[in-house]
Structure formats: C-alpha cells, structure tokens
Amino acid sequence: MLSQKECVAMLLAGGQGSRLYALTSKIAKPAVPVGGKYRIIDFPLSNCINSGIDTVGVLTQYEPFELNDYIGNGQPWDLDRMYGGVHILSPYQAKRGSEWYKGTANAIYQNLSFIKRYKPEYVLILSGDHIYKMNYAKMLAEHKKNGADVTVATIEVPIEEASRFGVVNVGENGKIVEFEEKPKKPKSNLASMGIYIFSAEKLYKYLEEDELDTKSSKDFGKNILPNMLNAGERMFAYVFKGYWKDVGTIDSLYEANMDLLGERPLFDISDTNWRIHSKNPIAPPHYIGENGSVEGSLVALGCEIEGKVKNSILSANVTVEAGAEIVGSVIFSGCTVKAGAKVYNSIMAEDVVIGENSVVGSSAQPRKITLLGRGAQIAAGATVEGGSIVEGK
Amino acid sequence: MDALGIIFSNIHDSNMPELTASRTTASIPFCARYRLIDFALSNMVNSGITKVGVITKSNYQSLMDHVGSGKDWDLARRHGGLIILPPFGVQESTSLYNTRLEALKTVTGFLARSTEEYVVLSDSDFVCNMDYTELIEFHNARQSDITLVYFKAKAQNLSGTNNIVLTVGAKGKVSDIQFDPDCEKGVELGVYANVCVMRKTLLQNLIADAVAHNKRHFAADILAPSVHTLKVYAWEHRGYFAKISSLQSYYEESLKILNKDARNSLFGVNGVYTKVKDSIPTTYGDSAVVKNSLIADGCSIEGEVYNSIIFRGVKVAKGTVVKNSILMQGTIVGENALINCIIADKNVVVKDRRVLSGCDTHPFFIHKSTVL
C-alpha cells in the first residue's frame, strides 16, 4: 500500500440549495435524487473513482444526516478503503473554538489536516451540485504538463448566457489572464465549472493567508483565485467538452432529468466503462400490467405500472394505478399515483400520494414545473395548478 | 438468531442440464434479476442468521462471482458471514461427493468450529420467502428433534423426480417419509421443501453415526429412519413456493411471478437481496409496448413485450415482438424479429427478422452466448 496519495479530492457538499425549495427542506442538495436511481453526489463520486482518485473528503454542513447515511462507508463507489476512501467532514469543535464553514475556502482550510495526512501533490476541489461525467485524470495530466499552480475547469457556454457564470479570460496556451464574476459584457464564453486542481503547497499557502484576511469572504471564486492571479501564479484553464449541468434550480434539475430521456439522450449514462455508481434499492424487477403503457421513459426497480407513463422518470417502487397518467414528470421513489389521477410536468419527491382522479400540474404549460415535497398527500379529485409548490410533511 | 445456515449449491444440477451446463443450481438466473441462491440466502439473512456455509462441488465459478464476499446480503463479516465450502479433496479418495450426506461429511470441521446452537440446512432449488424464526419457534414449541419444512401441492402438479412426500399428523408430527410415491391425481400431498432445522450437535451425531454405518443418503438413510427413533415434525410454508426441478418447471414457475399474489408473497414482506450491478434504469423508446411483464434494470425496450420475464441489460429493438419468453441477462434481439415461448440463456443474440417459437408446454431453450 502506498504511503501517500497523488491527488486528494475535496467535495463541497454543504450547500442548502434553497432554490430547490421543498426538495431540500430536510436534505442537503447533493442528496437530491436524479435520474431514477441516483443522487446528485453520485456523479462527482463516480467521476472520482473512475478517474483513479480514491481519497475523497465530503464537506457537509446543511441537514447532513441523510447525505451522511447515504454515503456510509463509501462501499457503493468502491471508496471503502483501509487507507484513503471517502470521509465525511463536518464542522467540528477545536481547542481554539468552533465554527461553521464560512465559505468554500474556509471549509477546505478547516480540513487541511485531513488533506495533509495523505501528503498529496495535488488537491482537486469539487462541487456537490453538478451532473456530468468527467475524467479528472485528463485534467490533472494537463495541470502537470503546464506546470500549473492551479487549473480551473471551464466549459464553453453560449456567449449570451455567459453573464450568468464566472467567466475566465485566457491568453496563450490557456493561461488565465482575468476572472470576471457574472460580467455584464463577457469577453469570453469560457465559464468556470467550480472545479479546481491545486498544487498542494500553493493551496495551503493561499488558504492560510486568506484565513488571516478579515475582509475576505473566504470563497475560492471571489478571493483565492483572484489573489493567486494578482500574485502572478501560473493559472490555466482546462476546457471540458461534454454534458455538464449545474442543478441549482427546479428548472435545471428538471432539465437534467429530461436530458436522460430519448433514444439518443443528451446525457448518456449507459456507458459501462464509465458507470455512475449508486446505492441500489432492494426491490424486485418492475412490472408493467395488462393495461399499462410506458413510452419514452426511464423506469427503475420495483415499480408497478397499470396506467400510462410518457416521457417521464420513475424511481424505485412507484405505483401507477389503472387509468392514471404521468406525462413529462420526474417521480422519486415510493410515490403512488392512484386510479384516474393525472400528473403533468411535475417533480414529485419521495412517498407522495396522489389521490384518485386528481390533476397535478399543467399539460398546456410544460415550462411551469409543479413541485410536490416529500410525503405530500393530494386528496382525491383535487387540482394542483401548474407551477405551484406543495410542501411535504 | 443462534443458528448456522448451510446451503447445498449443486445437489440438483443433473435435473436441469440445460440451465446448469456452466453453472450450479444455486446460480440459475431467476425472476429477471436474481439467482436461485438469493432466495435461500435472503431467507436466512431476513431471519437473523449471520453465518452461512455454502457447499459447492463443481462449476461454481459463476456462484463465487455472484456471491463475492457476501456484502450484498450483509454477510461480509469479520465473525461468520458467508463462507464458501469448496470440495475437500483428500489424498486417498479422488472422487468428490455425490450426495448431500457425503457433502456434509466434508464439512464436519466447519460444524465443529461453529458455536451456534441450531443449524438450518437448505437446498437452493426453490423460490419462496419464508421466515426461519417461525420455524425455530415451532421447533422449540414441539420440542422437536428435527423439523422439516414442507409445502402442499396436488399430485399431478409435481414435476420432476426426487419428490419427498411427508405423512404429517396432528400438530405436525411426521409419521412417514416416502420417495416419489405413486399417488392418484388430485390428491393433496405434503412435499418436503429440502429445508430442515435441528440442533447442531444432533447433526454432528447423525453424521458420525452415518459414517460409522457407511450410509449414503441424508433423506433416505438419516431422515426417514429418524421418524421412528426421534421426534420429527413438519412445518408448513404457506404462500408462494416454487420447486425448480426441470426446464419445464423453471419456465412455468418463472411466468407465475407475473401473478400479483405470487409477487406479493415473494417480495411483499421481506426484501430479496442480490448482487448489485449498478445498471441504469430501463429505457423505454417511443414505440415501446409492454404488457404483463417483469423487467429488470439496464434494459432498452423499443419493441413489444408480452407476458415475459426480461433480465438485466436486455435489448429489444424496434418492430420486434417478444411473447411468453424468458430472456436472460444481456440478450440482444434485433429488429422485426418474432419470439415466442423461448428461454434465452445469457448473452444470446437474435438477429433481425428471425422468427423463433417454442410452445407453452415445450419452451425452446437457447444456450448461453448463442448467435442466431
């Protein structure tokens, strides 16, 4: 067994995800289900193990119980290791006082002793709210080739949308010359993905300096990277090609789910050489009955379908009774849609029950996503208007 | 629960030569995502048994691959857990065991080292969901020496051979054990499920006695005579029970799970565990039509599927119709094909426009990895 790790990943998973409303009332955003059998955090965790990174610190803060429980000892991602593996890093009490994570940079700063245990040469900073497949080993190879101090992963976005992102302006050979946070008139269409590789010593130096700066907001994008740029460190952009989605809002979460559908999906997760690992439910195969019909959809284990399902994603153990109809919707595990009920363009969290002959969401306005929180119960014959949010129990 | 589990993985291999050509009975795929041993193992785990020895003999690579360290059954333990007991060859004898009793003789060391009070002996040729805590409560309440599990079946519905029929009296006392008796059609019989429980020390004594008297068969030479010398009781398993004893019974019992009551009995209360594959959910195309079928994950369905069992990773292309069939893991059916009453073993490829049909009394079996 090697006595040090070349690269340690730190996954920022403490965010509340307030723009996911009822979905994150009780759970952290990275634990939000997606794609029928995954949670958001499965994507970065699977990318890590598939890229050969077997040491991951997961920084949790907001409603961590379910997320911690889900990650467990890391076995589903092959991250249960004697040396390395996945570790949950929560804010802790120390001799010199205790504090919450005050920003992305401060969260990493508070866990420098964890990183240093593995004597890594490089540290990969990841975000727990992105859906994508990325080989970090390629980015690391480029980081080494450039002799960089930090490499920022970027993705090309349409120039008219660039003002929503942190934009990276590059010079020759991808060397970063300027950062602009949500610029009104972006000079480039390279958006930062919030994924960074640092040479470890530089990371330690800048985090320790930033910690002493009382005016800093302790954030990578706002403080650490600009400080490094000002000091003339070698900073490079890595251009990622492929599907990437920040699922910070209901609309983007809905889109990310829909992007998995179709015969040639925008985001294809069926590649057996780059599996997305997850904790699998204990459930039998799904059953489609005499009256059931399923078109253009993804269906997970344990579902019992007697009604009609179209362009939708059904997670494990969903029951669709006879005469019920689900169109353009994302249904989390354990939901029941009773006989004759109609569900259009909705996201339904776990264990929701839709009463008989009720109507949820709008078929006429597909852009108005209806959101039902965990355990919500819709009475028989009720109507839930398109675009509304029903809090769970 | 203070009991040790022992599962026989090879005993019935010769009954189903097609399905066991390259695997053990225990590793025969069943119900879209399981192997037969999953049911025997899950019953034990759900009853609180945390130490299970699996006796193997031959062809057990597929079984080893399936169970791995036992972690998917929560049996990867520092103490106990899943223990594979491969054949114990000794220099003097070159042949492996042939009977359940000979197999047990090879694991006397394992039994001696175990400290559990009871032992549950189970074959792996059946599909059901039962709770052994009830079995052991019954065993203790009757102050039984050996308690046999049985299910009720009509005589004409028994398929295959080696059916052991129990004569069960009041309070479950067993007065006779018969092997493949001639019965009138329609008579309801109590059939031994090849699962029994007894004290571990009793099993050790019975094995030692059997060795001393050069006995060969567990049921015929130990269980049957014990009816007269020990207290032998029988406990009935109610609910779905399938004994897989031939290719025909494999086919019929598989399709029975399409019945809701059978599914509820099998999966409704306790979970059935199996190896995790990290397959994606099943993808349905816009032209998919599926009726009365069980479908695992990782499939891609663009054609039509009726009354069928579809295992993980199966692809059914556009224009193809699959009826009354069992397609095992990784089967690929091309476009505009017609398939009826087929059992396709793993990784079969059916090319475009092929028309294949068996009939419901004689399903057509296609061997593993065949391309046609």
Side-chain angles (χ1 to χ4, degrees), chain A residues 196-207:
Chain A
Y196 318 110
I197 291 178
F198 285 89
S199 293
E201 293 303 326
K202 294 287 180 185
L203 177 70
Y204 306 156
K205 175 174 182 280
Y206 282 91
L207 283 181

Side-chain angles (χ1 to χ4, degrees), chain A residues 27-44:
Chain A
I27 59 170
K29 180 156 67 163
V32 169
V34 66
K37 67 175 289 195
Y38 308 98
R39 299 199 186 221
I40 296 172
I41 198 166
D42 287 329
F43 292 88

Side-chain angles (χ1 to χ4, degrees), chain B residues 108-133:
Chain B
T108 47
F110 172 71
L111 287 172
R113 284 193 303 277
S114 298
T115 55
E116 284 75 7
E117 187 174 0
Y118 299 100
V119 55
V120 176
L121 297 168
S122 168
D123 280 9
S124 51
D125 63 332
F126 62 81
V127 178
C128 75
N129 197 328
M130 65 177 144
D131 188 346
Y132 296 140
T133 51

Side-chain angles (χ1 to χ4, degrees), chain B residues 213-283:
Chain B
H213 294 91
N214 200 23
K215 291 174 179 171
R216 287 203 68 216
H217 296 284
F218 184 72
D221 299 335
I222 292 185
L223 293 183
S226 294
V227 169
H228 307 294
T229 56
L230 296 168
K231 283 180 278 183
V232 180
Y233 281 84
W235 179 77
E236 187 190 349
H237 169 73
R238 297 184 173 89
Y240 178 83
F241 188 99
K243 189 165 178 280
I244 310 296
S245 53
S246 64
L247 191 65
Q248 182 62 24
S249 72
Y250 174 81
Y251 179 73
E252 286 169 6
E253 294 297 344
S254 291
L255 295 186
K256 268 189 203 166
I257 317 279
L258 294 174
N259 177 289
K260 195 174 176 83
D261 292 337
R263 247 185 357 266
N264 283 344
S265 170
L266 198 49
F267 301 111
V269 186
N270 291 315
V272 180
Y273 310 99
T274 190
K275 184 185 177 184
V276 165
K277 290 258 171 64
D278 274 340
S279 315
I280 66 167
T282 284
T283 310

Side-chain angles (χ1 to χ4, degrees), chain B residues 137-153:
Chain B
E137 275 168 22
F138 174 89
H139 180 80
N140 287 336
R142 295 283 185 279
Q143 296 185 311
S144 170
D145 292 313
I146 302 174
T147 303
L148 311 173
V149 177
Y150 74 104
F151 60 98
K152 285 186 177 154

Side-chain angles (χ1 to χ4, degrees), chain B residues 148 164-169 173-179 181 190 192 223-228 232 234:
Chain B
L148 311 173
I164 299 175
V165 174
L166 310 179
T167 308
V168 183
K173 185 84 169 63
V174 178
S175 56
D176 195 15
I177 296 179
Q178 297 177 66
F179 297 83
Y192 177 42
L223 293 183
S226 294
V227 169
H228 307 294
V232 180

Side-chain angles (χ1 to χ4, degrees), chain A residues 57 72 77 115 172 182-183 271 298 319 369 377 384-385:
Chain A
W77 306 271
I115 300 175
E172 269 177 53
K182 299 189 176 140
D271 181 2
L298 277 181
T319 304
I369 308 303
Q377 308 244 344
V384 178
E385 290 201 11

Side-chain angles (χ1 to χ4, degrees), chain A residues 95-114:
Chain A
K95 202 167 182 181
R96 288 189 309 173
S98 56
E99 50 192 1
W100 294 102
Y101 295 150
K102 286 172 298 192
T104 52
N106 175 258
I108 304 292
Y109 172 81
Q110 289 201 38
N111 290 290
L112 280 181
S113 59
F114 167 80

